[in-house]
């Protein structure tokens, strides 16, 4: 099948480097490029909802257990954080302070800081380096639906961080094993709270959008 170059407006809007994965996947067929790019946007948007539930519920489950364990809301002040994690807390405090000064006339709260800590920060608390300081004494209790070694949680959570970052930075995900990512996401939700699985599925459009995946005619 003959290929045609993408229209000028598309190359100007997206850049050649951003278009390349779609050009390669479609043999540079203009209609197919546009169709695949649009579907990539749609499936990325569909994943936003379940990822929202996963990130926020992980953050709150870990934060609640750490508050209980250390007996204070600002547990990061006394917890054995790694140096890079402590830097992330300092950055979150600065961001929270800027937002509060800009939008509100009140002191910065611990909840403000927690809201600024990234998905990656929380997942790092499940890493091997944090095993003795976090997982063993306290964080295993944040996953009542899971009974197993820490590493079997950390690895899929890390994959979700990388996947989430691709979506939030508008990167291609059409070539990823999306059904597998979807199943992993729900397994992790179930480790935190089985009721989250039911709630997340209520508004989950991912299966519907996956069923509409464009059929590509690849170079043979």
């Amino acid at each position: 099948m003959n290929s045609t170059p993408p229209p000028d407006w598309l190359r100007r809007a997206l850049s050649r480097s951003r278009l390349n994965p779609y050009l390669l996947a479609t043999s540079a067929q203009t209609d197919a490029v546009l169709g695949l790019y649009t579907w990539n946007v749609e499936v990325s948007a569909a994943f936003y909802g379940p990822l929202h539930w996963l990130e926020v519920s992980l953050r709150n489950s870990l934060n609640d257990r750490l508050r209980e364990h250390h007996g204070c809301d600002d547990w990061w002040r006394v917890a054995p954080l790694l140096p890079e994690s402590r830097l992330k807390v300092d950055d979150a405090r600065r961001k929270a302070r800027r937002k509060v000064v800009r939008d509100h006339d009140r002191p910065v709260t611990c909840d403000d800081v927690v809201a600024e800590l990234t998905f990656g920060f929380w997942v790092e608390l499940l890493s091997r380096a944090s095993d003795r300081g976090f997982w063993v004494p306290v964080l295993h209790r944040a996953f009542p639906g899971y009974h197993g070694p820490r590493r079997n949680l950390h690895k899929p959570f890390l994959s979700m961080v990388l996947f989430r970052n691709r979506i939030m930075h508008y990167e291609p995900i059409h070539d990823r094993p999306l059904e597998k990512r979807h199943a992993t996401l729900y397994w992790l939700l179930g480790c935190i709270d089985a009721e989250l699985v039911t709630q997340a599925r209520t508004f989950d459009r991912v299966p519907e959008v996956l069923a509409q995946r464009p059929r590509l005619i690849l170079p043979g």
Side-chain angles (χ1 to χ4, degrees):
M1 182 175 291
N2 293 329
S3 62
T4 57
D8 288 343
W9 70 263
L10 189 61
R11 288 188 287 105
R12 287 195 303 268
L14 302 180
S15 81
R16 179 76 187 197
S17 61
R18 178 169 288 274
L19 274 176
N20 272 341
Y22 304 93
L23 294 168
L24 292 171
T26 60
S27 301
Q29 302 165 57
T30 298
D31 289 346
V33 170
L34 281 170
L36 183 59
Y37 193 91
T38 300
W39 184 81
N40 193 87
V41 172
E42 188 174 4
V43 75
S44 297
F47 266 104
Y48 180 90
L51 282 169
H52 170 97
W53 284 110
L54 182 64
E55 181 171 350
V56 173
S57 62
L58 175 70
R59 176 179 78 194
N60 289 327
S61 187
L62 297 185
N63 183 57
D64 287 347
R65 301 293 80 73
L66 288 164
R67 288 169 59 193
E68 293 168 1
H69 181 73
H70 292 287
C72 57
D73 290 343
D74 56 344
W75 54 264
W76 48 84
R77 182 174 50 84
V78 294
L81 288 171
L82 298 171
E84 56 267 31
S85 294
R86 196 162 296 283
L87 288 174
K88 290 179 180 179
V89 171
D90 292 341
D91 187 51
R93 292 172 66 185
R94 285 191 292 270
K95 288 180 179 177
R97 190 176 300 112
R98 285 197 297 269
K99 283 188 177 181
V100 168
V101 168
R102 184 186 66 219
D103 301 331
H104 309 282
D105 184 20
R106 60 169 176 78
V108 175
T109 67
C110 292
D111 284 341
D112 293 326
V113 177
V114 167
E116 293 297 328
L117 290 167
T118 66
F119 193 13
F121 169 86
W122 298 105
V123 172
E124 283 176 3
L125 298 182
L126 306 176
S127 68
R128 181 179 180 181
S130 298
D131 196 23
R132 294 295 172 186
F134 288 91
W135 176 259
V136 172
V138 56
L139 290 188
H140 64 279
R141 297 198 297 271
F143 304 95
Y146 176 74
H147 304 283
R150 172 203 51 75
R151 64 180 178 275
N152 291 350
L153 268 182
H154 179 248
K155 185 176 180 180
F157 264 118
L158 183 58
S159 75
M160 284 296 109
V161 171
L162 300 175
F163 183 59
R164 176 257 187 216
N165 289 346
R166 289 194 69 82
I167 288 174
M168 296 305 174
H169 290 92
Y170 317 126
E171 297 294 334
I173 63 168
H174 64 83
D175 55 348
R176 296 311 197 255
L178 298 180
E179 289 84 358
K180 182 178 179 181
R181 294 285 188 274
H182 189 248
T184 297
L185 197 161
Y186 274 93
W187 180 77
L188 291 170
L189 280 174
C191 292
I192 299 170
D193 189 333
E195 292 185 33
L196 282 170
V197 174
T198 301
Q199 177 61 35
R201 288 195 190 280
T202 303
F203 302 101
D204 186 1
R205 294 184 59 250
V206 171
E208 174 189 344
V209 178
L210 288 178
Q212 299 167 358
R213 187 195 309 260
R215 293 185 178 182
L216 304 178
I217 302 175
L218 300 177

